[in-house]
Amino acid sequence: MFVCLCRKITDHQLRNAVSEGARSWQEVRRMTGCSGQCGKCACTAESIVEEALLSH
Ligand code: FES
């Protein structure tokens, strides 16, 4: 599903960034560009990343 509509970023892409070595929400943000526009996706995106980091 799309998490960030502005940048067309899916939950899958966020989890992929963690698999590829991102170790924080800030790193995932940098890698994907997620939340770089309106910012409305930040809460949801961060929760997905935190969950992925825990299970990684
Ligand atoms: Fe992600 Fe707007 S929905 S920056």
Side-chain angles (χ1 to χ4, degrees):
M1 78 179 172
F2 281 112
V3 176
C4 179
L5 293 178
C6 295
R7 298 284 170 92
K8 307 274 184 291
I9 295 171
T10 63
D11 58 330
H12 186 71
Q13 283 169 279
L14 296 176
R15 290 195 188 93
N16 258 1
V18 173
S19 300
E20 287 167 9
R23 284 298 163 264
S24 68
W25 160 230
Q26 294 307 325
E27 274 183 45
V28 172
R29 247 181 116 155
R30 266 198 301 279
M31 284 167 75
T32 62
C34 186
S35 195
Q37 227 165 303
C38 76
K40 282 184 189 159
C41 57
C43 266
T44 307
E46 187 173 3
S47 318
I48 291 169
V49 169
E50 293 299 334
E51 200 182 299
L53 286 169
L54 285 177
S55 61
H56 203 267

mmCIF file of all heavy atoms in Angstrom:
data_model
loop_
_atom_site.group_PDB
_atom_site.id
_atom_site.type_symbol
_atom_site.label_atom_id
_atom_site.label_comp_id
_atom_site.label_asym_id
_atom_site.label_seq_id
_atom_site.Cartn_x
_atom_site.Cartn_y
_atom_site.Cartn_z
ATOM 1 N N MET A 1 0.841 -1.201 0.000
ATOM 2 C CA MET A 1 0.000 0.000 0.000
ATOM 3 C C MET A 1 0.877 1.253 0.000
ATOM 4 O O MET A 1 1.999 1.226 0.506
ATOM 5 C CB MET A 1 -0.903 0.016 1.244
ATOM 6 C CG MET A 1 -0.150 0.460 2.491
ATOM 7 S SD MET A 1 -1.159 0.514 3.967
ATOM 8 C CE MET A 1 0.133 0.830 5.166
ATOM 9 N N PHE A 2 0.337 2.328 -0.567
ATOM 10 C CA PHE A 2 1.093 3.573 -0.541
ATOM 11 C C PHE A 2 1.020 4.197 0.850
ATOM 12 O O PHE A 2 -0.053 4.361 1.409
ATOM 13 C CB PHE A 2 0.538 4.572 -1.567
ATOM 14 C CG PHE A 2 0.982 4.285 -2.963
ATOM 15 C CD1 PHE A 2 0.082 3.857 -3.920
ATOM 16 C CD2 PHE A 2 2.316 4.440 -3.318
ATOM 17 C CE1 PHE A 2 0.492 3.566 -5.213
ATOM 18 C CE2 PHE A 2 2.743 4.164 -4.614
ATOM 19 C CZ PHE A 2 1.822 3.727 -5.557
ATOM 20 N N VAL A 3 2.170 4.506 1.389
ATOM 21 C CA VAL A 3 2.242 5.200 2.672
ATOM 22 C C VAL A 3 2.388 6.698 2.408
ATOM 23 O O VAL A 3 1.739 7.524 3.034
ATOM 24 C CB VAL A 3 3.439 4.687 3.498
ATOM 25 C CG1 VAL A 3 3.588 5.473 4.783
ATOM 26 C CG2 VAL A 3 3.281 3.210 3.789
ATOM 27 N N CYS A 4 3.256 7.020 1.468
ATOM 28 C CA CYS A 4 3.524 8.416 1.125
ATOM 29 C C CYS A 4 2.992 8.682 -0.290
ATOM 30 O O CYS A 4 3.546 8.200 -1.265
ATOM 31 C CB CYS A 4 5.026 8.671 1.182
ATOM 32 S SG CYS A 4 5.483 10.351 0.755
ATOM 33 N N LEU A 5 1.876 9.402 -0.332
ATOM 34 C CA LEU A 5 1.251 9.663 -1.633
ATOM 35 C C LEU A 5 2.045 10.682 -2.434
ATOM 36 O O LEU A 5 2.126 10.590 -3.657
ATOM 37 C CB LEU A 5 -0.185 10.148 -1.431
ATOM 38 C CG LEU A 5 -1.137 9.103 -0.859
ATOM 39 C CD1 LEU A 5 -2.520 9.704 -0.658
ATOM 40 C CD2 LEU A 5 -1.225 7.872 -1.752
ATOM 41 N N CYS A 6 2.635 11.640 -1.762
ATOM 42 C CA CYS A 6 3.404 12.676 -2.475
ATOM 43 C C CYS A 6 4.554 12.059 -3.258
ATOM 44 O O CYS A 6 4.807 12.422 -4.398
ATOM 45 C CB CYS A 6 3.968 13.696 -1.506
ATOM 46 S SG CYS A 6 2.726 14.656 -0.649
ATOM 47 N N ARG A 7 5.269 11.145 -2.620
ATOM 48 C CA ARG A 7 6.460 10.567 -3.250
ATOM 49 C C ARG A 7 6.220 9.165 -3.799
ATOM 50 O O ARG A 7 7.150 8.508 -4.252
ATOM 51 C CB ARG A 7 7.613 10.532 -2.238
ATOM 52 C CG ARG A 7 8.039 11.899 -1.735
ATOM 53 C CD ARG A 7 8.845 12.621 -2.788
ATOM 54 N NE ARG A 7 9.084 13.999 -2.476
ATOM 55 C CZ ARG A 7 10.142 14.481 -1.823
ATOM 56 N NH1 ARG A 7 11.068 13.669 -1.387
ATOM 57 N NH2 ARG A 7 10.265 15.777 -1.609
ATOM 58 N N LYS A 8 4.966 8.683 -3.679
ATOM 59 C CA LYS A 8 4.596 7.345 -4.184
ATOM 60 C C LYS A 8 5.475 6.252 -3.570
ATOM 61 O O LYS A 8 6.090 5.446 -4.272
ATOM 62 C CB LYS A 8 4.714 7.275 -5.713
ATOM 63 C CG LYS A 8 3.965 8.369 -6.441
ATOM 64 C CD LYS A 8 2.522 7.973 -6.659
ATOM 65 C CE LYS A 8 1.741 8.981 -7.480
ATOM 66 N NZ LYS A 8 1.507 10.255 -6.771
ATOM 67 N N ILE A 9 5.519 6.247 -2.254
ATOM 68 C CA ILE A 9 6.341 5.255 -1.555
ATOM 69 C C ILE A 9 5.446 4.275 -0.799
ATOM 70 O O ILE A 9 4.515 4.691 -0.101
ATOM 71 C CB ILE A 9 7.313 5.966 -0.607
ATOM 72 C CG1 ILE A 9 8.280 6.776 -1.469
ATOM 73 C CG2 ILE A 9 8.079 4.972 0.266
ATOM 74 C CD1 ILE A 9 9.152 7.688 -0.718
ATOM 75 N N THR A 10 5.751 3.002 -0.974
ATOM 76 C CA THR A 10 4.928 1.958 -0.361
ATOM 77 C C THR A 10 5.559 1.460 0.943
ATOM 78 O O THR A 10 6.744 1.698 1.192
ATOM 79 C CB THR A 10 4.795 0.749 -1.312
ATOM 80 O OG1 THR A 10 6.114 0.198 -1.511
ATOM 81 C CG2 THR A 10 4.207 1.158 -2.652
ATOM 82 N N ASP A 11 4.744 0.755 1.746
ATOM 83 C CA ASP A 11 5.263 0.138 2.973
ATOM 84 C C ASP A 11 6.381 -0.841 2.627
ATOM 85 O O ASP A 11 7.363 -0.969 3.350
ATOM 86 C CB ASP A 11 4.146 -0.537 3.772
ATOM 87 C CG ASP A 11 3.411 -1.606 2.980
ATOM 88 O OD1 ASP A 11 3.310 -1.490 1.740
ATOM 89 O OD2 ASP A 11 2.932 -2.563 3.602
ATOM 90 N N HIS A 12 6.247 -1.504 1.486
ATOM 91 C CA HIS A 12 7.255 -2.465 1.036
ATOM 92 C C HIS A 12 8.612 -1.768 0.831
ATOM 93 O O HIS A 12 9.654 -2.286 1.243
ATOM 94 C CB HIS A 12 6.767 -3.108 -0.260
ATOM 95 C CG HIS A 12 7.646 -4.212 -0.739
ATOM 96 N ND1 HIS A 12 7.723 -5.426 -0.105
ATOM 97 C CD2 HIS A 12 8.507 -4.265 -1.794
ATOM 98 C CE1 HIS A 12 8.592 -6.186 -0.755
ATOM 99 N NE2 HIS A 12 9.079 -5.512 -1.775
ATOM 100 N N GLN A 13 8.586 -0.593 0.234
ATOM 101 C CA GLN A 13 9.840 0.147 0.012
ATOM 102 C C GLN A 13 10.476 0.558 1.340
ATOM 103 O O GLN A 13 11.709 0.561 1.462
ATOM 104 C CB GLN A 13 9.576 1.386 -0.840
ATOM 105 C CG GLN A 13 9.387 1.066 -2.303
ATOM 106 C CD GLN A 13 8.873 2.278 -3.067
ATOM 107 O OE1 GLN A 13 7.688 2.556 -3.044
ATOM 108 N NE2 GLN A 13 9.767 3.010 -3.698
ATOM 109 N N LEU A 14 9.649 0.911 2.318
ATOM 110 C CA LEU A 14 10.198 1.294 3.630
ATOM 111 C C LEU A 14 10.873 0.091 4.282
ATOM 112 O O LEU A 14 11.979 0.198 4.820
ATOM 113 C CB LEU A 14 9.081 1.831 4.541
ATOM 114 C CG LEU A 14 8.398 3.121 4.066
ATOM 115 C CD1 LEU A 14 7.255 3.490 5.003
ATOM 116 C CD2 LEU A 14 9.390 4.274 3.964
ATOM 117 N N ARG A 15 10.201 -1.078 4.220
ATOM 118 C CA ARG A 15 10.789 -2.291 4.816
ATOM 119 C C ARG A 15 12.054 -2.699 4.069
ATOM 120 O O ARG A 15 13.011 -3.171 4.679
ATOM 121 C CB ARG A 15 9.769 -3.432 4.796
ATOM 122 C CG ARG A 15 8.648 -3.183 5.766
ATOM 123 C CD ARG A 15 7.819 -4.418 6.057
ATOM 124 N NE ARG A 15 6.665 -4.049 6.843
ATOM 125 C CZ ARG A 15 5.477 -3.748 6.313
ATOM 126 N NH1 ARG A 15 5.270 -3.832 5.018
ATOM 127 N NH2 ARG A 15 4.484 -3.382 7.101
ATOM 128 N N ASN A 16 12.043 -2.513 2.766
ATOM 129 C CA ASN A 16 13.234 -2.812 1.960
ATOM 130 C C ASN A 16 14.428 -1.984 2.395
ATOM 131 O O ASN A 16 15.552 -2.477 2.435
ATOM 132 C CB ASN A 16 12.967 -2.503 0.492
ATOM 133 C CG ASN A 16 12.686 -3.751 -0.289
ATOM 134 O OD1 ASN A 16 12.676 -4.841 0.269
ATOM 135 N ND2 ASN A 16 12.441 -3.587 -1.579
ATOM 136 N N ALA A 17 14.175 -0.710 2.690
ATOM 137 C CA ALA A 17 15.267 0.171 3.122
ATOM 138 C C ALA A 17 15.900 -0.374 4.394
ATOM 139 O O ALA A 17 17.125 -0.352 4.553
ATOM 140 C CB ALA A 17 14.751 1.588 3.327
ATOM 141 N N VAL A 18 15.065 -0.921 5.293
ATOM 142 C CA VAL A 18 15.606 -1.520 6.527
ATOM 143 C C VAL A 18 16.419 -2.769 6.176
ATOM 144 O O VAL A 18 17.524 -2.971 6.683
ATOM 145 C CB VAL A 18 14.471 -1.850 7.531
ATOM 146 C CG1 VAL A 18 14.997 -2.632 8.724
ATOM 147 C CG2 VAL A 18 13.789 -0.556 7.991
ATOM 148 N N SER A 19 15.902 -3.573 5.266
ATOM 149 C CA SER A 19 16.643 -4.776 4.835
ATOM 150 C C SER A 19 17.971 -4.406 4.202
ATOM 151 O O SER A 19 18.943 -5.142 4.298
ATOM 152 C CB SER A 19 15.851 -5.570 3.802
ATOM 153 O OG SER A 19 14.645 -5.975 4.341
ATOM 154 N N GLU A 20 17.990 -3.248 3.556
ATOM 155 C CA GLU A 20 19.228 -2.825 2.887
ATOM 156 C C GLU A 20 20.183 -2.095 3.818
ATOM 157 O O GLU A 20 21.200 -1.558 3.375
ATOM 158 C CB GLU A 20 18.882 -1.943 1.678
ATOM 159 C CG GLU A 20 18.315 -2.753 0.526
ATOM 160 C CD GLU A 20 17.677 -1.878 -0.545
ATOM 161 O OE1 GLU A 20 17.819 -0.645 -0.479
ATOM 162 O OE2 GLU A 20 17.028 -2.454 -1.426
ATOM 163 N N GLY A 21 19.839 -2.019 5.096
ATOM 164 C CA GLY A 21 20.806 -1.487 6.055
ATOM 165 C C GLY A 21 20.425 -0.232 6.809
ATOM 166 O O GLY A 21 21.174 0.196 7.680
ATOM 167 N N ALA A 22 19.280 0.368 6.502
ATOM 168 C CA ALA A 22 18.883 1.562 7.258
ATOM 169 C C ALA A 22 18.637 1.167 8.710
ATOM 170 O O ALA A 22 18.059 0.119 8.980
ATOM 171 C CB ALA A 22 17.629 2.166 6.660
ATOM 172 N N ARG A 23 19.104 1.982 9.643
ATOM 173 C CA ARG A 23 18.976 1.646 11.054
ATOM 174 C C ARG A 23 18.162 2.653 11.853
ATOM 175 O O ARG A 23 18.128 2.607 13.078
ATOM 176 C CB ARG A 23 20.368 1.470 11.693
ATOM 177 C CG ARG A 23 21.036 0.158 11.321
ATOM 178 C CD ARG A 23 20.214 -1.048 11.817
ATOM 179 N NE ARG A 23 20.561 -2.306 11.180
ATOM 180 C CZ ARG A 23 19.915 -2.822 10.135
ATOM 181 N NH1 ARG A 23 18.903 -2.196 9.589
ATOM 182 N NH2 ARG A 23 20.276 -3.974 9.637
ATOM 183 N N SER A 24 17.500 3.553 11.164
ATOM 184 C CA SER A 24 16.626 4.511 11.856
ATOM 185 C C SER A 24 15.634 5.089 10.854
ATOM 186 O O SER A 24 15.819 4.967 9.638
ATOM 187 C CB SER A 24 17.451 5.655 12.453
ATOM 188 O OG SER A 24 18.000 6.436 11.403
ATOM 189 N N TRP A 25 14.589 5.701 11.387
ATOM 190 C CA TRP A 25 13.597 6.351 10.534
ATOM 191 C C TRP A 25 14.271 7.449 9.708
ATOM 192 O O TRP A 25 13.985 7.600 8.531
ATOM 193 C CB TRP A 25 12.483 6.888 11.418
ATOM 194 C CG TRP A 25 11.625 7.964 10.822
ATOM 195 C CD1 TRP A 25 11.313 9.159 11.408
ATOM 196 C CD2 TRP A 25 10.929 7.954 9.563
ATOM 197 N NE1 TRP A 25 10.497 9.883 10.573
ATOM 198 C CE2 TRP A 25 10.242 9.172 9.437
ATOM 199 C CE3 TRP A 25 10.848 7.040 8.521
ATOM 200 C CZ2 TRP A 25 9.489 9.500 8.324
ATOM 201 C CZ3 TRP A 25 10.081 7.370 7.402
ATOM 202 C CH2 TRP A 25 9.412 8.575 7.319
ATOM 203 N N GLN A 26 15.191 8.173 10.306
ATOM 204 C CA GLN A 26 15.894 9.237 9.574
ATOM 205 C C GLN A 26 16.657 8.671 8.382
ATOM 206 O O GLN A 26 16.666 9.270 7.305
ATOM 207 C CB GLN A 26 16.872 9.985 10.501
ATOM 208 C CG GLN A 26 16.208 10.771 11.610
ATOM 209 C CD GLN A 26 15.131 11.729 11.095
ATOM 210 O OE1 GLN A 26 15.257 12.292 10.012
ATOM 211 N NE2 GLN A 26 14.068 11.899 11.849
ATOM 212 N N GLU A 27 17.283 7.523 8.569
ATOM 213 C CA GLU A 27 18.022 6.904 7.458
ATOM 214 C C GLU A 27 17.077 6.458 6.348
ATOM 215 O O GLU A 27 17.374 6.636 5.172
ATOM 216 C CB GLU A 27 18.827 5.700 7.957
ATOM 217 C CG GLU A 27 20.180 6.087 8.503
ATOM 218 C CD GLU A 27 20.982 4.859 8.910
ATOM 219 O OE1 GLU A 27 21.013 3.862 8.147
ATOM 220 O OE2 GLU A 27 21.546 4.902 10.004
ATOM 221 N N VAL A 28 15.947 5.871 6.755
ATOM 222 C CA VAL A 28 14.972 5.433 5.749
ATOM 223 C C VAL A 28 14.454 6.648 4.980
ATOM 224 O O VAL A 28 14.307 6.618 3.769
ATOM 225 C CB VAL A 28 13.805 4.665 6.409
ATOM 226 C CG1 VAL A 28 12.699 4.377 5.407
ATOM 227 C CG2 VAL A 28 14.306 3.369 7.029
ATOM 228 N N ARG A 29 14.217 7.713 5.691
ATOM 229 C CA ARG A 29 13.768 8.964 5.068
ATOM 230 C C ARG A 29 14.759 9.447 4.028
ATOM 231 O O ARG A 29 14.385 9.834 2.925
ATOM 232 C CB ARG A 29 13.681 10.028 6.163
ATOM 233 C CG ARG A 29 12.298 10.487 6.438
ATOM 234 C CD ARG A 29 12.350 11.526 7.503
ATOM 235 N NE ARG A 29 11.882 12.775 6.937
ATOM 236 C CZ ARG A 29 11.351 13.745 7.639
ATOM 237 N NH1 ARG A 29 11.242 13.620 8.945
ATOM 238 N NH2 ARG A 29 10.941 14.829 7.074
ATOM 239 N N ARG A 30 16.029 9.430 4.426
ATOM 240 C CA ARG A 30 17.079 9.858 3.494
ATOM 241 C C ARG A 30 17.146 8.951 2.276
ATOM 242 O O ARG A 30 17.265 9.408 1.151
ATOM 243 C CB ARG A 30 18.450 9.859 4.185
ATOM 244 C CG ARG A 30 18.857 11.203 4.760
ATOM 245 C CD ARG A 30 20.339 11.255 5.016
ATOM 246 N NE ARG A 30 20.801 10.229 5.932
ATOM 247 C CZ ARG A 30 20.705 10.315 7.264
ATOM 248 N NH1 ARG A 30 20.195 11.380 7.809
ATOM 249 N NH2 ARG A 30 21.136 9.347 8.021
ATOM 250 N N MET A 31 17.052 7.628 2.522
ATOM 251 C CA MET A 31 17.192 6.665 1.430
ATOM 252 C C MET A 31 16.015 6.713 0.455
ATOM 253 O O MET A 31 16.190 6.512 -0.743
ATOM 254 C CB MET A 31 17.325 5.238 1.982
ATOM 255 C CG MET A 31 18.693 4.935 2.565
ATOM 256 S SD MET A 31 18.681 3.407 3.536
ATOM 257 C CE MET A 31 18.628 2.165 2.247
ATOM 258 N N THR A 32 14.802 6.936 0.989
ATOM 259 C CA THR A 32 13.616 6.817 0.135
ATOM 260 C C THR A 32 13.026 8.165 -0.278
ATOM 261 O O THR A 32 12.287 8.234 -1.257
ATOM 262 C CB THR A 32 12.502 6.026 0.865
ATOM 263 O OG1 THR A 32 12.141 6.764 2.050
ATOM 264 C CG2 THR A 32 12.955 4.638 1.244
ATOM 265 N N GLY A 33 13.299 9.199 0.485
ATOM 266 C CA GLY A 33 12.674 10.494 0.208
ATOM 267 C C GLY A 33 11.290 10.586 0.812
ATOM 268 O O GLY A 33 10.581 11.581 0.648
ATOM 269 N N CYS A 34 10.902 9.531 1.558
ATOM 270 C CA CYS A 34 9.583 9.506 2.193
ATOM 271 C C CYS A 34 9.427 10.693 3.131
ATOM 272 O O CYS A 34 10.364 11.060 3.834
ATOM 273 C CB CYS A 34 9.433 8.197 2.964
ATOM 274 S SG CYS A 34 7.792 7.963 3.649
ATOM 275 N N SER A 35 8.250 11.279 3.124
ATOM 276 C CA SER A 35 7.917 12.364 4.052
ATOM 277 C C SER A 35 8.643 13.670 3.734
ATOM 278 O O SER A 35 8.732 14.546 4.586
ATOM 279 C CB SER A 35 8.225 11.909 5.488
ATOM 280 O OG SER A 35 7.619 12.761 6.392
ATOM 281 N N GLY A 36 9.117 13.775 2.509
ATOM 282 C CA GLY A 36 9.871 14.975 2.148
ATOM 283 C C GLY A 36 9.019 16.108 1.599
ATOM 284 O O GLY A 36 9.532 17.162 1.261
ATOM 285 N N GLN A 37 7.717 15.872 1.513
ATOM 286 C CA GLN A 37 6.864 16.927 0.951
ATOM 287 C C GLN A 37 5.875 17.441 1.994
ATOM 288 O O GLN A 37 6.244 18.256 2.825
ATOM 289 C CB GLN A 37 6.174 16.404 -0.301
ATOM 290 C CG GLN A 37 6.281 17.407 -1.446
ATOM 291 C CD GLN A 37 5.944 16.766 -2.753
ATOM 292 O OE1 GLN A 37 6.576 15.777 -3.147
ATOM 293 N NE2 GLN A 37 4.961 17.312 -3.436
ATOM 294 N N CYS A 38 4.632 16.953 1.992
ATOM 295 C CA CYS A 38 3.645 17.514 2.934
ATOM 296 C C CYS A 38 3.867 17.037 4.365
ATOM 297 O O CYS A 38 3.456 17.695 5.311
ATOM 298 C CB CYS A 38 2.226 17.180 2.483
ATOM 299 S SG CYS A 38 1.749 15.464 2.810
ATOM 300 N N GLY A 39 4.477 15.853 4.524
ATOM 301 C CA GLY A 39 4.773 15.347 5.857
ATOM 302 C C GLY A 39 3.639 14.593 6.533
ATOM 303 O O GLY A 39 3.795 14.083 7.638
ATOM 304 N N LYS A 40 2.478 14.476 5.867
ATOM 305 C CA LYS A 40 1.321 13.808 6.496
ATOM 306 C C LYS A 40 1.567 12.321 6.740
ATOM 307 O O LYS A 40 0.898 11.711 7.561
ATOM 308 C CB LYS A 40 0.078 13.970 5.618
ATOM 309 C CG LYS A 40 -0.547 15.327 5.746
ATOM 310 C CD LYS A 40 -1.820 15.377 4.925
ATOM 311 C CE LYS A 40 -2.341 16.807 4.872
ATOM 312 N NZ LYS A 40 -3.241 17.006 3.742
ATOM 313 N N CYS A 41 2.476 11.740 5.997
ATOM 314 C CA CYS A 41 2.733 10.306 6.104
ATOM 315 C C CYS A 41 3.716 9.976 7.221
ATOM 316 O O CYS A 41 3.939 8.810 7.523
ATOM 317 C CB CYS A 41 3.319 9.807 4.794
ATOM 318 S SG CYS A 41 4.836 10.699 4.355
ATOM 319 N N ALA A 42 4.313 10.981 7.835
ATOM 320 C CA ALA A 42 5.430 10.748 8.760
ATOM 321 C C ALA A 42 5.095 9.768 9.886
ATOM 322 O O ALA A 42 5.868 8.843 10.150
ATOM 323 C CB ALA A 42 5.927 12.067 9.327
ATOM 324 N N CYS A 43 3.931 9.952 10.546
ATOM 325 C CA CYS A 43 3.589 9.083 11.680
ATOM 326 C C CYS A 43 3.468 7.627 11.256
ATOM 327 O O CYS A 43 4.057 6.743 11.872
ATOM 328 C CB CYS A 43 2.267 9.526 12.299
ATOM 329 S SG CYS A 43 2.530 10.641 13.647
ATOM 330 N N THR A 44 2.691 7.399 10.203
ATOM 331 C CA THR A 44 2.489 6.029 9.725
ATOM 332 C C THR A 44 3.796 5.427 9.244
ATOM 333 O O THR A 44 4.134 4.288 9.583
ATOM 334 C CB THR A 44 1.480 6.021 8.552
ATOM 335 O OG1 THR A 44 0.311 6.712 8.980
ATOM 336 C CG2 THR A 44 1.127 4.619 8.126
ATOM 337 N N ALA A 45 4.543 6.201 8.475
ATOM 338 C CA ALA A 45 5.800 5.686 7.920
ATOM 339 C C ALA A 45 6.776 5.341 9.044
ATOM 340 O O ALA A 45 7.419 4.289 9.021
ATOM 341 C CB ALA A 45 6.407 6.720 6.984
ATOM 342 N N GLU A 46 6.845 6.198 10.034
ATOM 343 C CA GLU A 46 7.773 5.945 11.133
ATOM 344 C C GLU A 46 7.384 4.675 11.886
ATOM 345 O O GLU A 46 8.244 3.879 12.248
ATOM 346 C CB GLU A 46 7.824 7.149 12.084
ATOM 347 C CG GLU A 46 8.905 6.982 13.126
ATOM 348 C CD GLU A 46 9.109 8.221 13.979
ATOM 349 O OE1 GLU A 46 8.369 9.206 13.797
ATOM 350 O OE2 GLU A 46 10.000 8.190 14.836
ATOM 351 N N SER A 47 6.076 4.463 12.118
ATOM 352 C CA SER A 47 5.650 3.232 12.810
ATOM 353 C C SER A 47 6.039 1.994 12.021
ATOM 354 O O SER A 47 6.485 0.999 12.603
ATOM 355 C CB SER A 47 4.135 3.170 13.004
ATOM 356 O OG SER A 47 3.624 4.372 13.384
ATOM 357 N N ILE A 48 5.860 2.054 10.718
ATOM 358 C CA ILE A 48 6.220 0.893 9.882
ATOM 359 C C ILE A 48 7.718 0.622 9.984
ATOM 360 O O ILE A 48 8.157 -0.520 10.134
ATOM 361 C CB ILE A 48 5.793 1.140 8.418
ATOM 362 C CG1 ILE A 48 4.274 1.120 8.326
ATOM 363 C CG2 ILE A 48 6.416 0.103 7.476
ATOM 364 C CD1 ILE A 48 3.712 1.613 7.018
ATOM 365 N N VAL A 49 8.503 1.691 9.944
ATOM 366 C CA VAL A 49 9.963 1.533 10.021
ATOM 367 C C VAL A 49 10.368 1.003 11.395
ATOM 368 O O VAL A 49 11.192 0.088 11.498
ATOM 369 C CB VAL A 49 10.671 2.868 9.706
ATOM 370 C CG1 VAL A 49 12.144 2.807 10.046
ATOM 371 C CG2 VAL A 49 10.483 3.221 8.236
ATOM 372 N N GLU A 50 9.788 1.560 12.471
ATOM 373 C CA GLU A 50 10.137 1.094 13.818
ATOM 374 C C GLU A 50 9.827 -0.395 13.965
ATOM 375 O O GLU A 50 10.612 -1.145 14.545
ATOM 376 C CB GLU A 50 9.371 1.890 14.892
ATOM 377 C CG GLU A 50 9.763 3.363 14.987
ATOM 378 C CD GLU A 50 11.240 3.592 15.339
ATOM 379 O OE1 GLU A 50 11.846 2.716 15.967
ATOM 380 O OE2 GLU A 50 11.760 4.651 14.938
ATOM 381 N N GLU A 51 8.680 -0.815 13.438
ATOM 382 C CA GLU A 51 8.292 -2.218 13.508
ATOM 383 C C GLU A 51 9.291 -3.085 12.738
ATOM 384 O O GLU A 51 9.713 -4.140 13.204
ATOM 385 C CB GLU A 51 6.888 -2.362 12.919
ATOM 386 C CG GLU A 51 6.177 -3.618 13.343
ATOM 387 C CD GLU A 51 4.812 -3.694 12.672
ATOM 388 O OE1 GLU A 51 3.983 -2.797 12.913
ATOM 389 O OE2 GLU A 51 4.611 -4.649 11.895
ATOM 390 N N ALA A 52 9.670 -2.604 11.556
ATOM 391 C CA ALA A 52 10.623 -3.359 10.729
ATOM 392 C C ALA A 52 11.974 -3.454 11.430
ATOM 393 O O ALA A 52 12.638 -4.491 11.392
ATOM 394 C CB ALA A 52 10.764 -2.695 9.368
ATOM 395 N N LEU A 53 12.378 -2.376 12.107
ATOM 396 C CA LEU A 53 13.670 -2.383 12.813
ATOM 397 C C LEU A 53 13.646 -3.384 13.957
ATOM 398 O O LEU A 53 14.636 -4.073 14.216
ATOM 399 C CB LEU A 53 13.985 -0.986 13.344
ATOM 400 C CG LEU A 53 14.417 0.042 12.290
ATOM 401 C CD1 LEU A 53 14.426 1.440 12.892
ATOM 402 C CD2 LEU A 53 15.773 -0.303 11.710
ATOM 403 N N LEU A 54 12.502 -3.492 14.651
ATOM 404 C CA LEU A 54 12.391 -4.431 15.773
ATOM 405 C C LEU A 54 12.496 -5.872 15.318
ATOM 406 O O LEU A 54 13.105 -6.702 15.984
ATOM 407 C CB LEU A 54 11.052 -4.238 16.497
ATOM 408 C CG LEU A 54 10.944 -3.005 17.386
ATOM 409 C CD1 LEU A 54 9.548 -2.916 17.974
ATOM 410 C CD2 LEU A 54 11.995 -3.037 18.487
ATOM 411 N N SER A 55 11.879 -6.168 14.179
ATOM 412 C CA SER A 55 11.879 -7.557 13.722
ATOM 413 C C SER A 55 13.087 -7.861 12.834
ATOM 414 O O SER A 55 13.172 -8.915 12.223
ATOM 415 C CB SER A 55 10.577 -7.865 12.990
ATOM 416 O OG SER A 55 10.444 -7.035 11.874
ATOM 417 N N HIS A 56 14.004 -6.915 12.735
ATOM 418 C CA HIS A 56 15.166 -7.144 11.875
ATOM 419 C C HIS A 56 16.353 -7.636 12.674
ATOM 420 O O HIS A 56 16.566 -7.276 13.785
ATOM 421 C CB HIS A 56 15.540 -5.871 11.105
ATOM 422 C CG HIS A 56 16.297 -6.182 9.871
ATOM 423 N ND1 HIS A 56 17.662 -6.212 9.831
ATOM 424 C CD2 HIS A 56 15.874 -6.497 8.624
ATOM 425 C CE1 HIS A 56 18.046 -6.530 8.611
ATOM 426 N NE2 HIS A 56 17.000 -6.713 7.861
HETATM 427 FE FE1 FES B 1 4.377 11.759 2.325
HETATM 428 FE FE2 FES B 1 3.090 13.944 1.584
HETATM 429 S S1 FES B 1 2.297 11.952 1.883
HETATM 430 S S2 FES B 1 5.173 13.738 2.090
#
